[in-house]
Amino acid sequence: MGKKLPADQRRRQLIEAALTIAAEQGIAALTVRPLAAAAGVSMGVVHYHFTDKDTLLTHLGQTQILQVNEGMRAAFGQYTEPGGLSGTAALEDLLRAGIRGLWPIIEATPHRQLLTFEITAHALRQRSAGNVAAGAIAQQQYDIMDAETVAFLTLCAGRTGVEWGTPVDQVARFALAGMNGLVLRWLVDRDSEAALAALDDLVQILAAKARDPAPTV
């Protein structure tokens, strides 16, 4: 068995092991015994950190989303505005840098991207069957994605000195719907060139929802 670790480190280890199992084999294969074996711990340790499978799936969904957003933030942080652009033109360029920064991560982790959709579908099926607590996983996923996207869009607008003409939470909802659809289509056909072209179209639509601030008198 593995050496004793602080609780937070052990939980992270279990989540990473669970992500590997679920991404490679699907969430049906994610049970206590193989997870304990993969992490090198007893089944009791798994039960201690995650009381049931739905609790574990909630953490998997959260971890997946935050890992992807870390990549987008890294790309965003390395961006430097080119000379001559300002206002909504600069916003479009900045959005493109951040959103395109996601793509290498998506291409490198197709099984984990599929797992995100699988967790959502599982939660929605559970909700339809009357399991409200398990069904809440999907809502929690989207609450995290909404918050992360609103933060990104707000930061982009502030950095380029523009204002969102539509409430930013609505812009975030539209952006996520577009991104989810593009990723799912890419998982089907693996046509990255088409996906990147569609991402650029999405960026143009998003930038059109912003406006330059009214001049001060």
Side-chain angles (χ1 to χ4, degrees), residues 18-28 57 60-61 64-65 68 103 105-123 141-142 179-190:
L19 281 171
T20 299
I21 293 170
E24 293 177 355
Q25 303 175 47
I27 61 175
L57 289 176
L60 294 192
Q64 291 250 103
I65 294 162
V68 169
W103 201 252
I105 299 171
I106 291 169
E107 282 191 315
T109 58
H111 293 304
R112 291 203 175 194
Q113 305 312 313
L114 181 58
L115 176 59
T116 300
F117 290 105
E118 190 175 359
I119 291 172
T120 304
H122 169 80
Q141 277 184 300
Y142 274 79
M179 283 295 301
N180 284 341
L182 288 172
V183 172
L184 186 57
R185 177 58 189 262
W186 177 81
L187 287 170
V188 173
D189 61 26
R190 302 300 172 94

Side-chain angles (χ1 to χ4, degrees), residues 189-213:
D189 61 26
R190 302 300 172 94
D191 189 340
S192 292
E193 184 177 349
L196 288 170
L199 282 175
D200 287 342
D201 289 342
L202 177 61
V203 166
Q204 289 182 339
I205 295 170
L206 292 174
K209 294 179 179 294
R211 61 190 178 208
D212 293 320

Side-chain angles (χ1 to χ4, degrees), residues 125-136:
R125 288 186 184 279
Q126 291 293 305
R127 187 174 70 183
S128 295
N131 188 340
V132 176

